[in-house]
Amino acid sequence: MCIRDSSGVLATRSSDVPARHQTLHAAISWSFDLLDPSEQTLFRRLAPFNGGFTAEAASAVSDMPLEDAWDGIESLLSKSLLSRPADVGKARFNMLETLREFALEELQRTEEQIDVAGRHARFFLGLAEAAEPQLTGASQDAAFAALSQEIENIRSALRYSMQTQDVDLGLRLVSSIWRFWHTSGQMIEGRRWLEQLLAGPDCSTTVRAKALEALAGLAYWQADSELAWSSYQEALDLYRADGDQVHEAEVLYGMSMTATWMGDLSAGTALAAEARALFEAQGDRAKVGEALMAQGFALLQAREYDAARPLWDEALDISRELADEALVVTQLAGIAAIEFHADDRTAALRIALEGLALAREHENVALSVWLLDFIAAFTVADAPTTAVRVAGAADALRVAAGGGMRIEDLHIESARSAASRSLSPAESEAAWAAGRAMTLDQAAAAVDELRLGSAPATERPR
């Protein structure tokens, strides 16, 4: 079997390329021939890396002791066969693409390419699973940064799992970092990997259950409630058959939020209570906070705002205590909605702005887009044109990220709809189109123009 390179295309043989490339190929071949056998081995075993690597990764994938890997890396650096990117620190290394293609050719000439590619995939599976518990709580920024740095290697590992039909490996990898796919605005890609792998050969029951839970999580944030519900339901059945009450509780929480979004407030309330009871029995304070939010969400959707607010406040206190900033942002959005419905737009805007600043600080694309819509809706009466631009930006960014909830589902009129009472159709459409062309940074900058009572004269509603 032949493993393909990171782009899914086999490395091109030197006889298939123009003369100038053949000359380059010959030069690389000459440099390679000057290496001693251990350096040649390391060089070709580094071929699977895409986007750089650490010495620890090189040691694991090359199957060499770390000290030997370090020595080999330093030697290859001195011969200009590796580089050390200036912007990522001294502990990370890279190989130019032309060199990597040559290394891949050399690897393919041996009988070890499957073993090397497998070690590469298993290394990044281990990295992803080690990062998983860090994707919530105080360490989430470092975990997200590490995964972002290794995303091309992770994609290569996922392609390996598809090509070799190692479904368990692929599903374990992609499902362990579903929160990364969501937060970074790459929900379409994460969902695609999950769906492709789940449609492949059978995998173990525990792996399938977790993959379905991950798929449900992404579908939920894409506002695809039907897929989220069916995936959660199948995962729940598998977890219960296995007697896994920890994951059962997590799925019940997800099902509660999904049921509430779908309008079944009775089911949402009951499922949240069931999840909370299990979390309390397990002594999981963080998860108890999530269940409180789920109970508060059902009350918010039932328009029982006075009853909902204490639950949201308690959930927020727990999230702040545990430094789970993503949940803090989500809960600030919910509390902002409650304040808006209590006719306190000033408080609603202040809380939403706090949430946006926090989401931006932690580079949470999905929640940043969510808060842009809130802020636009809360300020449209004072600055309709700018509010519609911000809402247009949120709409385009939401589509690019793979979908998402809309504030109308929280009984809040969108800025675009509300602005129709103060802007002409042409003005509204122009503002909307301008917003849809914005980047996230531009949209966040436009938010600075939105302050209650301080809109420029041209923004005053007519």
Side-chain angles (χ1 to χ4, degrees), residues 221 325-337 347-360 364-379 387 390-391 393-395 397-398 405-407 410 412 415 440 443-444 447 450:
W221 281 105
E325 303 290 20
L327 268 177
V328 167
V329 174
T330 302
Q331 288 152 358
L332 287 172
I335 294 170
L349 178 61
R350 174 181 52 78
I351 294 167
L353 287 168
E354 179 186 351
L356 178 62
L358 197 57
R360 296 281 291 146
N364 191 317
V365 175
L367 293 179
S368 293
V369 172
W370 184 224
L371 267 299
L372 289 175
D373 251 344
F374 277 80
I375 293 165
F378 296 163
T379 57
V390 171
D395 184 71
L397 292 164
R398 181 168 45 242
M405 296 89 163
R406 298 178 183 275
I407 59 171
L410 294 174
I412 298 173
L440 179 55
V447 162
L450 296 174

Side-chain angles (χ1 to χ4, degrees), residues 47 139 169 171 174 259 287 330 351 366 381 409-410 414:
S139 301
L169 184 153
L171 284 175
V174 69
K287 294 296 182 181
T330 302
I351 294 167
D409 295 324
L410 294 174
S414 71

Side-chain angles (χ1 to χ4, degrees), residues 7 75 135 154 162 174 190 196 230 239 277 354 362 373 407 430 440:
S7 63
S75 179
L135 294 177
I154 289 169
M162 295 282 289
V174 69
Q196 288 176 344
S230 63
Y239 284 137
E354 179 186 351
H362 295 284
D373 251 344
I407 59 171
L440 179 55

